[in-house]
Amino acid sequence: MNQELIYLLLIFGLLVIPRALQRFKIPAPITCLVFGIGAMLAWGAKTHDPVVALLSTLGISSLFLFAGLEVDLRALRRGLWPLLTHLAIRMATLTGAAWLAWHYLDLGWQAAGLLALALLTPSTGFILDTLERLGLDEEERFWVTSKAIAGELLALAALFVVLQAGDPVQLGVSSLAMLAMLVGLPMLFIAFGRWIVPHAPGSEFSLLVMVGFLAAFITYKLGVYYLVGAFIAGLVARLLRIRMPRLASNDNIHALRLFATFFVPFYFFHAGTLISRDALSWEALGLGLVITAVVVPLRVGMVWLQRRVLFRGERNGSTLRVSVALAPTLVFTLVLAEILHSRFGISGTLSGALILYTTLNTLLPSLVLRMPFDVDPIDEGYVHPEDRRAERPPAKSVPVAAPDRGASRGA
């Protein structure tokens, strides 16, 4: 079959069929992942196409670039103490899970730490993409967004340290390179804003995406995968919003969501093609069901308990919705499962169990909240939170009647 025709059929299959299947409460990313597994079973190594791999990289990078742009430090300061409590509990659970994996699964400490991150880290970019479709009110969306972002900041820092800590020299070199990137990215953005943007109106989006991919490539070469650099680039652009308002404007964020909408399905498809055949076994199925039965209730219950203790007046339904909305770990688990299998040699059974676990916890919100997850974040009723605040009509001033002086004198 003609190569161009194959690509066209693949684009159609990944962008149309998953949307059609959402009427059955099947999340579109899961459909794309299943398509990738099916292609791997049918054609084997032939599915490892460089074009698909490139499109996949664009998808994961744009998704985490968007997640970095969504970080609002002022909003995080609003819920500072609850978030600090949440992070302290998250660190304790990550440490406990890593210790258990180290002692009982015969894993090295680095692999055990990555396994804990894969099991317990919500997929922030995926959650933010689908948040508007879950039927949450504004306060619930705030806490889901804040906790997901705070958790991902902690997870990315832990990922960087764990992947590099096996070689102290490499850790030092990578830390210096990361520091140089943190200093260089703002300077690069400002240089573009001074010497290019004034002569090329409307180029802010292209420059933002280009810098995001550059940062993603740098961190990939440092051995910590694309998502770290893309997230940092988005975060830096967000911090420069006051100095360069058009760079991380609402229009650019909206455009990036659309950009990710096209490329993210290729990431899930490519992730499916990378799953090994020995990961699709009855042993992996059984282990995945056990992990899901233990970890998902634990994660949902811990978030539920935190909110019941910190927000005593909150309704039970609201607490449950926030807890369930934070359940999906799809992107983070897929990334770490691939790293664990390719770099640390974990068994196909454990790798397959992780794939099943993340598939089931991704299904949970669409089943419990009765709203389907979608790769496509755009909704006709979607209004960015800042736009929503800007559209609120100013409070009408109520005229105050002047006092009746005559009555006052009479009194």
Side-chain angles (χ1 to χ4, degrees), residues 53-106:
L54 175 61
L55 297 176
S56 168
T57 302
L58 293 175
I60 188 67
S61 299
S62 59
L63 187 65
F64 276 81
L65 179 62
F66 166 71
L69 284 169
E70 282 290 287
V71 177
D72 187 346
L73 296 182
R74 290 179 299 178
L76 293 178
R77 284 196 293 268
R78 169 187 161 190
L80 180 61
W81 291 113
L83 289 178
L84 289 178
T85 303
H86 176 72
L87 290 180
I89 296 174
R90 175 65 59 80
M91 291 178 65
T93 54
L94 284 172
T95 303
W99 185 87
L100 290 173
W102 184 29
H103 280 76
Y104 295 102
L105 295 181
D106 195 25

Side-chain angles (χ1 to χ4, degrees), residues 130-138 140-141 321 369-372:
T130 56
L131 194 57
E132 294 294 330
R133 295 181 177 270
L134 296 183
L136 307 181
D137 61 32
E138 187 171 351
E140 292 165 352
R141 287 196 301 270
R321 286 193 293 273
L369 302 179
R370 301 183 183 277
M371 299 289 286

Side-chain angles (χ1 to χ4, degrees), residues 16 59 63 86 131 141 206 221 232 249 282 324 378 392:
V16 176
L63 187 65
H86 176 72
L131 194 57
R141 287 196 301 270
S206 300
K221 287 299 183 182
I232 291 174
S249 65
W282 292 110
V324 171
I378 304 302
R392 290 175 183 170

